[in-house]
Amino acid sequence: MTLPASFSPVPRAARLFLSLGGLLGLLSVAGGALAAHLPDAMFAAPSGRVLAREAVEMGMWHAPALLAVGTLLCVRGRRVPLLLAGAAFALGVVLFGGAVGWTGVTGRHLGPVAPSGGSLLMLGWLLMLVDGVRR
């Protein structure tokens, strides 16, 4: 039996999280280069470069987490805790990293955006724990 050219054994959600993990890794490396090489005048906050690096670091830590979610979805199949963990990682890193990076570059704090993103990141890890215990 031959499979159609459009057939992919990798589930759609797994491909999404694997792609997001790769994109986040790429953006984190690019952001790290910018944080390292931009002139100090580009950072409005007194500790702007440190904040930018913090945002980049959070992205770099969660790129492999998204890759892990995608890989686990391939191995274990569609599981709600994994899907929710991946969504929490993706949205959480955008909110946390985006807000912290924004503060570093503009000097303006976005209120509860960064803590909300951080809470989503923690929720993602909790969901990974739940999925691991349930397995």
Side-chain angles (χ1 to χ4, degrees):
M1 177 176 139
T2 58
L3 298 173
S6 62
F7 177 79
S8 174
V10 179
R12 183 179 300 168
R15 285 195 314 268
L16 172 67
F17 292 125
L18 290 167
S19 298
L20 288 175
L23 177 63
L24 184 55
L26 169 69
L27 293 175
S28 296
V29 171
L34 288 172
H37 298 291
L38 284 175
D40 289 337
M42 295 296 296
F43 300 98
S47 58
R49 189 177 306 275
V50 172
L51 288 172
R53 285 184 179 151
E54 187 74 26
V56 166
E57 185 175 309
M58 196 60 66
M60 192 52 94
W61 278 109
H62 286 87
L66 285 165
L67 295 172
V69 168
T71 302
L72 288 170
L73 285 169
C74 289
V75 172
R76 295 182 180 172
R78 189 177 172 102
R79 297 169 58 92
V80 172
L82 286 175
L83 293 169
L84 293 174
F89 288 147
L91 182 57
V93 79
V94 167
L95 292 176
F96 180 86
V100 171
W102 177 263
T103 301
V105 173
T106 67
R108 289 192 223 126
H109 193 272
L110 294 178
V113 176
S116 297
S119 295
L120 282 170
L121 293 173
M122 288 186 277
L123 176 62
W125 288 109
L126 176 62
L127 288 163
M128 292 290 283
L129 171 67
V130 166
D131 187 72
V133 169
R134 284 183 53 202
R135 193 71 176 144

